[in-house]
Amino acid sequence: EDQAKPNVNLVVVGHVDAGKSTLMGHLLYKLKFVTQRQMHKFEKEAKEVGKGSFAFAWVLDEHEDERKRGVTVEVGVKYFETANRTVTLLDAPGHRDFIPNMITGAAQGDVAILVVPGDPGEFESSFAHNGQTKEHAVLVRYCGIRRLVVAINKMDVCDWSQARFDEVTGELLQFLTQQGYAEEDLLFVPVSGLVGDNLVERLRPGVADWYKGPSLLETIDSMPPVRRPAHKPLRMVVVDVFKTILLGAHTVSGKIEAGVIREGQQVIIAPGNHPAKVKAIQRHRGKEVESAKIAKAGENVDIGLVGLEDTMIDSSSIVCDPNNPMPIVSRFTAEIATFQALAVPVLNG
């Protein structure tokens, strides 16, 4: 089976309160992947708890704890389509307390959007010593992401000032290239997540006539296809395990990192090398969920497995080719990234 459109796994990262969830929630609304009725419900519920400006964020922040605290805790997953891509959207938490969850999201991404607040004072705070902008930019690179879209958000607050945009992008460009990003892999896009400007349609005349570039959606749509190691042995990282009527008691979701998985195929679950059989496969296409006979590297899918006990599989398990299982090792070589805030140096031993 060949996909009509290549899939892109897009992770959205950035400092807490940079407006990530509001930005992407508004984008989904503009693309009609959220109905007017749903949006009205979010607006009403957000106003009732005194968080009226969080309505778009609630499209992605679905848990009660997230809505009460006003911050993303878990990685929110949504699906949408552009003219040339199907997109798996991963909204990662920005608060430093939830960095492990943010890394979980970044590890599934092919490309990333780094959301940076452009309003005076907030950018400086997010980019300072204790801000998460720098940390997230470094983390996504060490998760294997090389192409980065930098969305300069809240441009409406600074009246779409070109001087402010140039100031923010200048500081970011210097930092990101120092971290190993190639300048040609960095795309800077001014946006307003709350107002919705430059998300889908390009900016109206008179808003920011100095900006001649694409909208955020056009930028996502133009992402070059990512090479997929479909010829290698199957490796699918399990993100979640749950029950569904169609797929059964052991339905797992995750990204196929390598290889191909087929309906009816025998697999093993590592660690433990527990045998199982693929009952069925489902993939997401925007609003729709469709059954598939086969799925390839790079796709985020749900698969139903039979022949397992509850203790044999969990999040972070690996679904493997039984003829080429994950090797078991007693030692490995790692590249470790540290941050300037590291209080104690890393020493031998």
Side-chain angles (χ1 to χ4, degrees):
E1 290 183 14
D2 288 326
Q3 289 178 240
K5 300 177 183 178
N7 183 67
V8 173
N9 297 295
L10 176 68
V11 60
V12 183
V13 300
H15 185 75
V16 64
D17 294 334
K20 300 181 297 299
S21 297
T22 295
L23 175 70
M24 301 315 295
H26 205 154
L27 178 69
L28 290 172
Y29 173 68
K30 279 180 166 285
L31 292 173
K32 301 190 185 320
F33 285 93
V34 181
T35 66
Q36 181 68 50
R37 183 177 179 180
Q38 288 173 311
M39 201 64 241
H40 178 71
K41 179 174 177 286
F42 292 147
E43 289 171 351
K44 180 181 177 183
E45 292 174 347
K47 286 178 181 176
E48 286 175 354
V49 295
K51 295 182 181 292
S53 63
F54 284 71
F56 287 114
W58 283 18
V59 173
L60 288 152
D61 293 340
E62 298 178 317
H63 297 286
E64 184 179 346
D65 184 46
E66 293 178 314
R67 293 179 173 185
K68 184 177 180 180
R69 298 176 63 166
V71 297
T72 303
V73 176
E74 302 288 343
V75 177
V77 182
K78 294 290 181 182
Y79 304 88
F80 66 94
E81 290 191 53
T82 67
N84 301 302
R85 302 280 184 269
T86 62
V87 181
T88 301
L89 173 64
L90 305 152
D91 180 35
H95 197 284
R96 62 171 57 252
D97 289 350
F98 309 113
I99 282 292
N101 293 351
M102 175 266 165
I103 294 172
T104 298
Q108 299 174 63
D110 300 318
V111 294
I113 295 179
L114 176 66
V115 181
V116 178
D119 50 330
E122 196 167 350
F123 166 71
E124 286 73 15
S125 175
S126 76
F127 200 62
H129 180 65
N130 292 321
Q132 296 301 101
T133 298
K134 290 181 177 179
E135 188 170 354
H136 281 207
V138 173
L139 284 171
V140 295
R141 189 178 184 283
Y142 276 91
C143 285
I145 293 173
R146 295 292 179 266
R147 195 164 183 83
L148 193 65
V149 177
V150 185
I152 310 301
N153 195 19
K154 307 185 183 182
M155 285 297 295
D156 55 306
V157 178
C158 46
D159 297 321
W160 293 91
S161 164
Q162 181 179 4
R164 180 59 175 172
F165 181 78
D166 291 343
E167 178 187 0
V168 170
T169 55
E171 287 197 46
L172 288 167
L173 181 62
Q174 181 180 4
F175 172 76
L176 293 170
T177 51
Q178 288 174 350
Q179 301 306 312
Y181 287 98
E183 189 168 343
E184 59 269 23
D185 289 333
L186 299 171
L187 300 168
F188 296 91
V189 183
V191 295
S192 171
L194 187 60
V195 178
D197 287 341
N198 209 34
L199 300 188
V200 176
E201 302 88 9
R202 294 195 178 192
L203 291 169
R204 305 179 307 279
V207 175
D209 293 335
W210 50 267
Y211 179 73
K212 307 299 181 184
S215 68
L216 184 62
L217 183 68
E218 289 174 322
T219 305
I220 296 168
D221 192 46
S222 65
M223 291 288 181
V226 179
R227 284 190 173 186
R228 314 292 192 186
H231 61 286
K232 293 188 176 182
L234 172 65
R235 299 286 187 266
M236 174 179 168
V237 181
V238 176
V239 175
D240 197 9
V241 182
F242 50 97
K243 297 180 181 180
T244 63
I245 296 173
L246 183 62
L247 298 182
H250 295 105
T251 301
V252 303
S253 65
K255 179 186 174 185
I256 304 173
E257 297 288 349
V260 174
I261 194 165
R262 294 177 173 83
E263 185 181 292
Q265 177 180 348
Q266 295 291 332
V267 296
I268 60 172
I269 310 302
N273 287 354
H274 303 295
K277 183 179 180 179
V278 179
K279 176 184 176 182
I281 303 169
Q282 287 185 338
R283 63 161 69 100
H284 296 262
R285 287 289 174 269
K287 296 179 184 178
E288 306 299 324
V289 177
E290 62 183 29
S291 296
K293 297 291 185 183
I294 186 173
K296 301 177 182 179
E299 291 191 71
N300 283 72
V301 294
D302 298 339
I303 62 173
L305 297 173
V306 293
L308 294 173
E309 300 290 338
D310 290 348
T311 56
M312 294 178 179
I313 190 166
D314 204 346
S315 57
S316 77
S317 295
I318 311 293
V319 181
C320 305
D321 181 342
N323 297 317
N324 290 280
M326 287 283 291
I328 306 299
V329 299
S330 58
R331 59 188 297 175
F332 61 90
T333 302
E335 181 180 353
I336 299 174
T338 61
F339 296 94
Q340 292 181 345
L342 189 69
V344 180
V346 178
L347 304 173
N348 288 337

